[in-house]
Amino acid sequence: MNKRYNRRSIRLKGYDYSQAGLYFVTICCKNKEHFFGYISQQEMHLNDAGKMIQSEWLKLPARFPDIHLHEFVVMPNHFHAIIELVGATLVVAQRAEQVAQNQKRNIQNSEQDTQSPEIKKGNTNWQGHGQPQGLPQRLPQRSSQLSPIPPAKKTLGDIIGAFESITTVGYIRGVKAHHWKRFDKKLWQRNYWEHIIRNERAFNNISNYIKNNPAKWKDDMFH
């Protein structure tokens, strides 16, 4: 297997894994157990569990609208894919700034209310059975004036974690209902391999690697 693309990359310190970009991801079964089918004549033959893995991967865009799926392959004991995060931004800083702006507006609005000339300090005169003299019948609604804080974008880790969880639940159902091969506590390894794709040449090379992975199964480091 070409280690250039599949060795575990070090997570970049300070890198925002929710930002737009292309990522090559490899997820391995725990202890390299073969759960998803077999290789024959240089082709991958999915069993029912492998078909479930493939199906759940293809469903991810419905759960995470900000992703596009590219080349992928289910192997007997691991999974390769290129996933693209689209339209994402550096949301942490933006959200913090938005919160600060909203808090500032709230303070300013509160100060304006308390300084209104209609409300006189010490004025407790009542007119009949109505409101105290000088007080407005209803305070103005200001929530609509505040810009809503956008929901946080999901990171690559969030998406892969969801995929692992969904497929683990699906596999457990298969074990109970269809006697699929049992696994030891966890279906997937705790961590995953990831590589940030930075240019078109790398994208094409990795896409070809994924397509040809079944044909090179005997040389695969995960065999």
Side-chain angles (χ1 to χ4, degrees), residues 67-154:
I67 67 172
H68 285 167
L69 304 181
H70 293 272
E71 199 70 43
F72 72 92
V73 63
V74 181
M75 297 293 286
N77 61 357
H78 63 279
F79 176 81
H80 292 306
I82 295 176
I83 182 171
E84 180 180 2
L85 275 60
V86 296
T89 56
L90 297 176
V91 295
V92 175
Q94 286 187 344
R95 284 174 61 81
E97 182 180 356
Q98 186 68 66
V99 169
Q101 290 176 351
N102 286 354
Q103 290 176 341
K104 184 177 179 179
R105 289 193 187 100
N106 281 327
I107 293 172
Q108 291 174 343
N109 292 334
S110 297
E111 290 175 349
Q112 290 174 2
D113 287 341
T114 58
Q115 294 172 4
S116 173
E118 299 178 356
I119 304 176
K120 299 179 181 180
K121 185 176 181 180
N123 186 352
T124 58
N125 295 327
W126 289 77
Q127 294 180 341
H129 299 287
Q131 293 289 327
Q133 184 179 1
L135 289 180
Q137 293 292 325
R138 185 177 182 181
L139 293 176
Q141 298 295 320
R142 301 189 182 275
S143 60
S144 61
Q145 300 175 9
L146 303 180
S147 300
I149 299 174
K153 299 290 184 181
K154 296 297 184 180

Side-chain angles (χ1 to χ4, degrees), residues 13-217:
K13 185 177 181 180
Y15 185 85
D16 180 8
Y17 281 91
S18 71
Q19 72 176 332
L22 286 158
Y23 302 88
F24 173 44
V25 174
T26 297
I27 316 172
C28 296
C29 295
K30 184 180 178 182
N31 300 326
K32 298 182 181 180
E33 288 279 350
H34 292 200
F35 292 119
F36 307 139
Y38 62 94
I39 301 290
S40 178
Q41 302 296 317
Q42 298 185 334
E43 292 183 0
M44 178 63 193
H45 298 268
L46 297 175
N47 57 19
D48 288 341
K51 292 175 183 177
M52 180 273 293
I53 299 296
Q54 179 175 270
S55 175
E56 294 298 344
W57 181 254
L58 292 173
K59 291 177 184 177
L60 281 182
R63 182 180 294 266
F64 302 102
D66 290 328
I67 67 172
H68 285 167
L69 304 181
H70 293 272
E71 199 70 43
F72 72 92
V73 63
V74 181
M75 297 293 286
N77 61 357
H78 63 279
F79 176 81
H80 292 306
I82 295 176
I83 182 171
E84 180 180 2
L85 275 60
V86 296
T89 56
L90 297 176
V91 295
V92 175
Q94 286 187 344
R95 284 174 61 81
E97 182 180 356
Q98 186 68 66
V99 169
Q101 290 176 351
N102 286 354
Q103 290 176 341
K104 184 177 179 179
R105 289 193 187 100
N106 281 327
I107 293 172
Q108 291 174 343
N109 292 334
S110 297
E111 290 175 349
Q112 290 174 2
D113 287 341
T114 58
Q115 294 172 4
S116 173
E118 299 178 356
I119 304 176
K120 299 179 181 180
K121 185 176 181 180
N123 186 352
T124 58
N125 295 327
W126 289 77
Q127 294 180 341
H129 299 287
Q131 293 289 327
Q133 184 179 1
L135 289 180
Q137 293 292 325
R138 185 177 182 181
L139 293 176
Q141 298 295 320
R142 301 189 182 275
S143 60
S144 61
Q145 300 175 9
L146 303 180
S147 300
I149 299 174
K153 299 290 184 181
K154 296 297 184 180
T155 66
L156 179 65
D158 292 331
I159 295 165
I160 299 304
F163 175 68
E164 291 180 338
S165 178
I166 292 167
T167 52
T168 297
V169 171
Y171 196 96
I172 291 172
R173 292 192 185 118
V175 171
K176 293 179 178 179
H178 305 294
H179 307 290
W180 292 359
K181 180 179 178 181
R182 293 182 175 274
F183 58 84
D184 181 19
K185 297 180 181 178
K186 291 183 179 294
L187 178 64
W188 302 103
Q189 286 185 0
R190 184 178 63 85
N191 212 337
Y192 64 92
W193 282 255
E194 133 291 295
H195 176 85
I196 303 166
I197 302 175
R198 300 187 182 277
N199 54 58
E200 184 177 0
R201 180 180 179 182
F203 175 81
N204 290 333
N205 288 341
I206 295 172
S207 295
N208 289 331
Y209 170 80
I210 293 175
K211 292 177 184 177
N212 296 326
N213 202 231
K216 298 182 178 180
W217 172 238

